[in-house]
Amino acid sequence: MTGLDPGVAARLKRNEAGLVPAVVQQHDTGEVLMLGWMDDEALHRTLTTGRATYWSRSRGEYWVKGETSGHVQHVKEVRLDCDGDTLLVKVDQTDVACHTGDRTCFDADLLLAT
Amino acid sequence: MTGLDPGVAARLKRNEAGLVPAVVQQHDTGEVLMLGWMDDEALHRTLTTGRATYWSRSRGEYWVKGETSGHVQHVKEVRLDCDGDTLLVKVDQTDVACHTGDRTCFDADLLLAT
């Protein structure tokens, strides 16, 4: 049981692990910062605390982004997609999003540019 | 076997179904249009044909976006994230991205705005 709004919970389509991918975007510049994963409780906390909160698949625990690094994400907007299986979280990212020190998790590895 | 560059294939971390989520973004406005899923072959086709190509989990087949609707995505840039488990595909979206007729798959369901 989580406190997630039942109407939202009913629209969520989770994967076999009970998770939904969350695309995280800087609200003003439009940069795609990272992709995280949320279960119902992480989404509930994100919606109610104003701090982006994920389920860490590697550590098996909730993870308030920036709790240790200080690189907090202040939540500005949350949207669910047409299939109910992906979230879009618009945030104000403090400093950098990536644990490597890059601004976004997509900065380092360019596969194609036209 | 696919024709995907072995160096790229070695960096990809696929889920248990052999897929990687692909965040799809309009290259100039920064709009997040949708999330699709790619296996090695879909990524190879996306990188080499210039048309965003996904694996349809519901239909169990490759899906060249816009093949039937005409709402083609011309690929501008492809990036892999720091963990190798998420792609960012910047495209030029013809008309609308969502099958509902909305511009993006995130237009209709706003969960939180601050």
Side-chain angles (χ1 to χ4, degrees):
Chain A
M1 275 301 293
T2 81
L4 184 63
D5 180 283
V8 173
R11 297 205 294 290
L12 268 192
K13 283 196 209 138
R14 306 155 193 84
N15 71 8
E16 53 295 322
L19 301 173
V20 174
V23 178
V24 188
Q25 184 178 35
Q26 174 66 28
H27 74 104
D28 48 5
T29 64
E31 295 161 286
V32 176
L33 298 168
M34 54 175 272
L35 185 102
W37 292 83
M38 293 186 185
D39 63 2
D40 287 41
E41 177 64 21
L43 176 56
H44 175 61
R45 295 185 190 183
T46 297
L47 291 171
T48 54
T49 66
R51 294 292 179 283
T53 305
Y54 306 98
W55 177 256
S56 168
R57 297 178 300 169
S58 54
R59 298 198 304 271
E61 61 181 22
Y62 293 105
W63 162 48
V64 181
K65 173 74 178 166
E67 203 168 32
T68 54
S69 67
H71 301 162
V72 172
Q73 294 174 338
H74 296 269
V75 179
K76 296 289 188 180
E77 195 177 291
V78 180
R79 292 175 173 275
L80 185 62
D81 81 340
C82 56
D83 294 325
D85 65 4
T86 305
L87 293 157
L88 177 61
V89 182
K90 298 190 184 182
V91 303
D92 192 14
Q93 171 71 55
T94 302
D95 201 357
V96 301
C98 191
H99 72 286
T100 63
D102 283 338
R103 171 67 179 172
T104 91
C105 291
F106 299 96
D107 287 358
D109 197 350
L110 179 66
L111 302 186
L112 177 78
T114 63
Chain B
M1 276 301 294
T2 80
L4 183 63
D5 180 284
V8 174
R11 297 205 294 288
L12 267 192
K13 283 196 209 135
R14 306 155 193 84
N15 70 10
E16 53 294 323
L19 301 173
V20 173
V23 178
V24 189
Q25 184 178 36
Q26 172 67 27
H27 74 104
D28 48 4
T29 64
E31 295 161 287
V32 175
L33 298 167
M34 54 175 273
L35 186 102
W37 292 84
M38 293 186 184
D39 64 1
D40 287 42
E41 178 63 22
L43 176 56
H44 175 61
R45 294 185 191 182
T46 296
L47 291 170
T48 54
T49 66
R51 295 292 180 281
T53 304
Y54 307 97
W55 177 255
S56 169
R57 297 178 301 169
S58 55
R59 299 197 304 271
E61 61 182 21
Y62 293 104
W63 163 48
V64 180
K65 173 74 179 164
E67 202 168 34
T68 53
S69 66
H71 300 162
V72 172
Q73 295 174 338
H74 296 269
V75 179
K76 295 289 187 179
E77 193 177 293
V78 181
R79 292 175 173 274
L80 184 62
D81 82 341
C82 56
D83 294 324
D85 64 4
T86 305
L87 293 158
L88 177 61
V89 182
K90 298 189 184 184
V91 302
D92 191 16
Q93 171 70 55
T94 303
D95 202 355
V96 301
C98 191
H99 72 285
T100 63
D102 284 338
R103 170 67 177 170
T104 91
C105 291
F106 299 96
D107 287 359
D109 197 350
L110 178 67
L111 302 186
L112 178 78
T114 64

